[in-house]
Amino acid sequence: MAKKALGPATLAVVQAVEAVADAPLLVACSGGPDSLALALAAHIAAARRGVDVRAAIVDHGLQPGSDTVAATVAEQLAGRGVSAVVLTVTVPDSPDGTEAAARQARYAALEAEARPDELILLGHTLDDQAETVLLGLARGSGTRSLAGMPTRRGVFVRPLLGLRAAQTAQACAELGVEPWRDPHNDEPRFTRVRVRRQVLPLLEAELGPGIAEALARTAGLARRDADLLDQLAADHQLPAVGAPFAVAELAGLPAAIRGRVLRSWLRAAGATDLSATHLDAVDALLDDWRGQRWVELPGVRVSRRGGGLWAESSTPGTFGPQD
């Protein structure tokens, strides 16, 4: 009996995976439409390419019965020939919020589970990319934020960034599987949910169709620019930790490069959670110097004296003479 032809949506997902399936694959699968379609398409693509594939379901323990959901997803995948493992994580309290803490815990668990030769596939779609760009725009945090999610970073690969969420949902229907619907995806207290349910549909209604695709294109263009600027900044040698950064040297850099160089220098000195506002305050020590005493940042205190900028522990101490 001839094999049943793949439906158009399933074929699109399989082809997206085939474009990156040059190594064994570990698919992160929550059981939702995007990741379930990805896992099953990866199973097909891996068979065609002669590589191994398996799945990992991360149980964050944030909802009652999450362990049951994870076990059910693993059974569903096993019934389709995809071996799966459930990874249980603890999500700590974080000033960045539950979503960010859960993401960090999930990625750490996936990296720990992955074998040395495996790529970790993530099910983010073009819709997710559009949401990410809008959130970055709302934060006003610069080109890198507008660049969205990369197709590949280290062992993490997002093969579905060119596909819409409607296609992954249709692929699940074509494959005859029922995805799990995460109730958190309908919780308006989450900013991303409001963007997905309210902001993007409003933009589509008021500005016309194609907004999500336009935002995804913006991400690609911004990423190219940000990558170049990051490389130019990385080529600039930083002073040794504990040494001052010459004001004249910094002031002579183009603003787009200077901000990146400052961020790298401050991080090396121990600064954390740097925002654009923090960097603007430090930049003012260069081009708007009025004898201000210092700038407090998370983890460090930056002062200007002796023709240089000094980044020192924010613990009160002795500071030398100012310019």
Side-chain angles (χ1 to χ4, degrees):
M1 181 181 294
K3 291 184 178 180
K4 183 180 178 180
L6 298 177
T10 304
L11 180 60
V13 181
V14 169
Q15 290 175 335
V17 175
E18 284 183 321
V20 301
D22 55 357
L25 306 174
L26 176 65
V27 184
C29 184
S30 68
D34 301 334
S35 62
L36 186 58
L38 177 62
L40 297 180
H43 180 57
I44 297 170
R48 291 179 172 182
R49 292 297 180 90
V51 298
D52 294 330
V53 62
R54 61 194 184 104
I57 302 101
V58 179
D59 176 13
H60 302 87
L62 295 175
Q63 302 176 48
S66 62
D67 55 341
T68 301
V69 171
T72 300
V73 174
E75 292 173 4
Q76 186 178 33
L77 291 171
R80 293 299 183 112
V82 183
S83 63
V85 60
V86 175
L87 308 176
T88 302
V89 301
T90 299
V91 179
D93 293 333
S94 169
D96 297 325
T98 302
E99 289 179 282
R103 181 171 57 252
Q104 291 171 2
R106 177 169 64 252
Y107 285 15
L110 291 168
E111 283 194 280
E113 173 62 26
R115 296 162 185 162
D117 58 345
E118 283 181 325
L119 296 176
I120 302 172
L121 302 191
L122 305 175
H124 298 110
T125 65
L126 185 148
D127 297 69
D128 297 309
Q129 186 74 299
E131 293 163 14
T132 300
V133 174
L134 274 180
L135 289 169
L137 182 63
R139 286 192 297 269
S141 47
T143 308
R144 176 53 66 190
S145 183
L146 294 181
M149 297 176 287
T151 300
R152 183 165 185 168
R153 176 176 290 159
V155 298
F156 291 102
V157 182
R158 298 177 175 90
L160 305 185
L161 287 181
L163 301 181
R164 298 298 303 265
Q167 290 175 279
T168 62
Q170 181 60 33
C172 288
E174 291 171 358
L175 292 165
V177 292
E178 183 65 32
W180 175 63
R181 302 291 177 176
D182 185 350
H184 278 178
N185 288 338
D186 294 316
E187 280 281 356
R189 61 192 173 96
F190 294 119
T191 305
R192 185 176 286 272
V193 172
R194 296 196 299 275
V195 169
R196 180 181 307 132
R197 302 293 188 191
Q198 300 173 32
V199 178
L200 271 172
L202 177 63
L203 290 175
E204 291 274 355
E206 296 296 329
L207 301 180
I211 293 299
E213 288 84 355
L215 289 168
R217 286 196 301 273
T218 296
L221 294 170
R223 178 164 296 280
R224 286 189 295 185
D225 291 350
D227 285 347
L228 174 59
L229 291 170
D230 286 350
Q231 183 56 58
L232 292 173
D235 290 341
H236 193 92
Q237 187 172 0
L238 301 177
V241 175
F245 212 137
V247 168
E249 181 181 352
L250 279 168
L253 294 174
I257 304 299
R258 185 168 68 219
R260 286 167 164 79
V261 171
L262 278 174
R263 182 182 293 274
S264 297
W265 174 62
L266 292 168
R267 283 177 172 170
T272 60
D273 299 324
L274 290 171
S275 68
T277 301
H278 292 140
L279 292 176
D280 287 344
V282 175
D283 202 64
L285 295 175
L286 300 171
D287 57 18
D288 191 23
W289 173 243
R290 302 183 308 278
Q292 52 267 49
R293 194 175 182 189
W294 58 62
V295 172
E296 292 282 3
L297 305 178
V300 298
R301 174 180 291 170
V302 183
S303 59
R304 172 172 170 164
R305 59 185 194 271
L309 289 189
W310 296 77
E312 300 160 301
S313 170
S314 56
T315 302
T318 302
F319 291 83
Q322 300 172 0
D323 283 349

